[in-house]
Amino acid sequence: MSGGFDLRAEPWIPVRLLTGESVRLGLRDLFKQAHEIADLELVVPPAAAGLLRVLAAITARIAQAGGVRLDDLGVAQDIDDWHAVRRRVLQQGRFDPAAVDAYLDTEVPAGRFDLFDATRPFLQDSRLDKECTDSKGAPNPSGVNKLVLGRPTGVNGAVLFGHFTDTAPVAVPAAEAVWHLLAQLYFGPSGQCTPRRITAQRAGSGDAAPLRKSLSYFAWAPDLFTSLVLAVPGPQAEADWEAKDACPWEEELNAPLEPLAAMTWPGRLLTGRFRHAVLLVPSADRRSVIDAYITWSTHETALPARDPYQILDRRKDGAFQPREADGSRALWRDIDSLLLKDSKQDVQRPPCLEDLPKRLLPTLRVRAYGFEQDGQQKDSVWFQSTTPPVLQWQEETDPQMAHHVSRCHRAAEDAGSRLDFAAKVAWRIATDANADTSAKAKIRIDHRKPGPWASAALARYWPSAEREFWRLATPEQAASAIERPFVEAALAALDEAIGQVSRADIRVARARSRARAILFGLVPASSAV
């Protein structure tokens, strides 16, 4: 039995319609109804980050105006011409159903969108069941638990993380297996993996996936059609304009031991940088996945590429690297990096947020997907978040608001940093009998024993700071003094962390007084009471 789960038709992508109804759609209906869809509802944010790159690559193939597609290399030579085509596509308000059918049924070879196709299953390598073998030549799969993010593998963690074990694996529905396939290809680990024998040697280690431990930011419109069109990245200067662009489902399988294909725009940039190879093993009825092979796809050095959806931060050596995901850091703390363009030289905002259509800016939010991980095997937490419509305040459109928002963020960060320091000072004073409690005495913090107050205070501070940030980050507050509200939020968090009972102790009272004085130092003299 071959194939049996056609991603063009099977309902595997959860969405919310503009009517509020939640449904699942296949690729064909997703694109044909994109103008009627309000949002994606994938419950695995890493999969959503990967899916949006796949959808953006397909969008570049099907979105056209006057017979010119968004991936037209001739138009891409002049960015103004490309923006003009995008503008005309957006004005149409929906994808042409005929263009959707033509791409899915004619331009892409048969079977390439089938999850279980015998020769070219979607985004998989059908050779793995022959190349991933044990020392006796028997198939050596990785296990379905290795595929599904959040499940434990091996003998550790089964009780802590879920009732799954490698000795009694639980199949995953085929629709959900696609989500985890995407997450593995975009966020998979480096290091030891299932060995793959291509030559006489069985290599059993690989490199991290291209998005590992990263954040992705997308311009988010009221409907999915507009979001997808805006997700198509503008022409990349680093792309090879002579080589033919292709997505994995449009070309033949790669040769793992040969040099990588040239980095082209937009298909290979979005979907051709994988470092892992995966093969799903279906159940007899093709409705679920019962096993999987997960191994390396290449050991060649990755080609340089600027991901269009990532913030870049300058390192100490002057080079830039993608901002890493932090599950404890809320999205609003990145807002100024998404708004400021020329005045923040240590940060580069995502290219997909450049040159957005001005008429849409008042409606555009920012959607972020993140996955906090280390560089190798540890996965901590994934998350997604969406801002209010803030892109209307980008620096080139509204420099006053862009800088006001940046000022609000800086005030919040300053208060948070000062709170962390003040709480540690207070703990040292309260617990060290030899500490000098006079107002001007220098207190040396023991970073190995910072005490519990700092972390407790910050956990209380940041939600309050977020509320103050959105209250102050409005045009009406642009001329207001913004430091004091964040200091007051920090003071309240400090008091809650110390607790009423503890504050009754004379030494704790002195420590609290010293910490409050440190925080009040952030309030400008003109606004101090």
Side-chain angles (χ1 to χ4, degrees):
M1 186 174 180
S2 176
F5 198 87
D6 188 344
L7 298 178
R8 297 171 301 178
E10 295 283 355
W12 64 279
I13 305 173
V15 300
R16 186 178 74 254
L17 303 179
L18 292 173
T19 60
E21 181 185 4
S22 293
V23 298
R24 288 192 181 189
L25 302 174
L27 287 172
R28 193 185 309 276
D29 287 340
L30 179 92
F31 283 106
K32 289 186 177 181
Q33 297 178 228
H35 57 291
E36 302 172 349
I37 297 172
D39 207 345
L40 295 176
E41 291 192 326
L42 269 173
V43 296
V44 182
L51 175 62
L52 279 168
R53 286 167 168 82
V54 170
L55 296 179
I58 298 176
T59 297
R61 308 295 200 225
I62 65 174
Q64 53 186 285
V68 180
R69 302 192 329 187
L70 280 180
D71 66 347
D72 188 289
L73 295 183
V75 172
Q77 300 299 320
D78 187 315
I79 191 62
D80 290 333
D81 290 344
W82 188 83
H83 283 149
V85 173
R86 184 179 70 174
R87 185 165 55 251
R88 292 197 296 272
V89 168
L90 288 168
Q91 288 171 349
Q92 293 172 356
R94 62 175 298 171
F95 294 117
D96 179 2
V100 174
D101 289 337
Y103 179 76
L104 295 179
D105 299 333
T106 306
E107 293 186 38
V108 176
R112 300 291 178 86
F113 285 113
D114 196 311
L115 191 64
F116 303 131
D117 186 74
T119 56
R120 287 301 309 278
F122 181 70
L123 289 181
Q124 298 164 67
D125 192 328
S126 57
R127 301 168 294 193
L128 297 189
D129 59 347
K130 303 294 190 300
E131 296 175 350
C132 294
T133 57
D134 60 21
S135 58
K136 298 180 180 179
N140 182 33
S142 310
V144 70
N145 289 346
K146 186 70 174 178
L147 170 73
V148 180
L149 296 181
R151 286 191 184 182
T153 57
V155 297
N156 296 318
V159 175
L160 291 175
F161 298 105
H163 296 288
F164 306 98
T165 67
D166 288 341
T167 56
V170 177
V172 58
E176 296 178 17
V178 193
W179 311 346
H180 294 283
L181 168 66
L182 290 166
Q184 288 289 346
L185 293 174
Y186 282 101
F187 291 88
S190 63
Q192 184 177 358
C193 63
T194 298
R196 181 180 190 182
R197 186 193 298 276
I198 297 177
T199 63
Q201 296 183 340
R202 293 173 67 241
S205 66
D207 301 327
L211 301 186
R212 188 161 183 87
K213 65 180 182 179
S214 73
L215 279 160
S216 299
Y217 304 87
F218 298 86
W220 212 249
D223 64 90
L224 186 62
F225 164 76
T226 304
S227 297
L228 291 181
V229 174
L230 296 181
V232 177
Q236 300 283 307
E238 302 87 355
D240 187 325
W241 297 101
E242 301 299 325
K244 180 182 179 180
D245 182 52
C247 299
W249 55 86
E250 299 171 342
E251 61 182 352
E252 298 307 311
L253 285 171
N254 72 310
L257 302 182
E258 294 183 5
L260 298 175
M263 187 53 59
T264 54
W265 168 89
R268 190 162 281 120
L269 172 69
L270 298 178
T271 64
R273 298 165 55 208
F274 303 139
R275 311 296 294 182
H276 294 75
V278 180
L279 178 62
L280 306 180
V281 179
S283 60
D285 62 1
R286 269 38 182 182
R287 307 313 298 172
S288 61
V289 170
I290 60 174
D291 210 336
Y293 297 83
I294 304 174
T295 186
W296 55 272
S297 65
T298 179
H299 288 127
E300 293 290 315
T301 302
L303 298 175
R306 172 74 162 97
D307 188 277
Y309 314 108
Q310 293 180 340
I311 291 175
L312 296 186
D313 293 316
R314 191 187 297 275
R315 299 195 306 250
K316 292 182 179 179
D317 63 3
F320 284 89
Q321 68 177 20
R323 179 166 296 180
E324 295 185 1
D326 181 349
S328 65
R329 181 183 174 89
L331 174 58
W332 66 271
R333 297 173 67 184
D334 292 332
I335 290 296
D336 56 343
S337 298
L338 305 174
L339 301 183
L340 298 180
K341 181 176 182 179
D342 299 325
S343 57
K344 199 162 185 180
Q345 298 300 318
D346 291 334
V347 175
Q348 294 181 9
R349 76 182 178 197
C352 73
L353 300 185
E354 304 280 0
D355 301 314
L356 295 169
K358 290 186 178 180
R359 70 177 182 86
L360 296 178
L361 288 177
T363 67
L364 295 182
R365 301 167 290 162
V366 176
R367 167 67 55 80
Y369 296 102
F371 195 1
E372 183 180 335
Q373 306 168 288
D374 68 4
Q376 294 186 316
Q377 298 285 336
K378 181 181 178 182
D379 297 336
S380 297
V381 62
W382 60 57
F383 53 90
Q384 76 173 53
S385 185
T386 309
T387 71
V390 298
L391 291 178
Q392 60 187 313
W393 298 332
Q394 285 187 320
E395 185 174 9
E396 57 268 45
T397 303
D398 192 339
Q400 181 181 8
M401 271 304 297
H403 288 281
H404 172 60
V405 170
S406 178
R407 194 164 58 99
C408 292
H409 172 236
R410 187 167 59 251
E413 294 288 343
D414 289 345
S417 178
R418 189 69 67 93
L419 173 61
D420 181 55
F421 173 72
K424 291 175 181 176
V425 167
W427 177 258
R428 183 63 187 269
I429 292 174
T431 58
D432 187 351
N434 297 319
D436 188 344
T437 59
S438 58
K440 296 184 178 180
K442 290 185 177 180
I443 303 297
R444 181 170 296 179
I445 297 173
D446 186 349
H447 293 287
R448 296 173 301 177
K449 300 177 181 179
W453 290 348
S455 59
L458 289 173
R460 291 165 171 80
Y461 167 74
W462 286 118
S464 298
E466 180 172 7
R467 290 191 292 271
E468 291 298 332
F469 174 83
W470 290 119
R471 182 180 69 83
L472 294 167
T474 62
E476 294 75 20
Q477 298 287 342
S480 303
I482 45 85
E483 293 83 4
R484 189 176 186 90
F486 293 108
V487 170
E488 290 178 346
L491 291 169
L494 176 72
D495 284 347
E496 290 180 32
I498 294 175
Q500 291 286 348
V501 175
S502 296
R503 296 206 301 271
D505 182 275
I506 186 62
R507 194 166 193 89
V508 172
R510 290 174 180 171
R512 173 175 173 270
S513 178
R514 177 68 180 275
R516 290 175 64 85
I518 292 172
L519 287 168
F520 269 118
L522 287 175
V523 180
S526 58
S527 62
V529 178

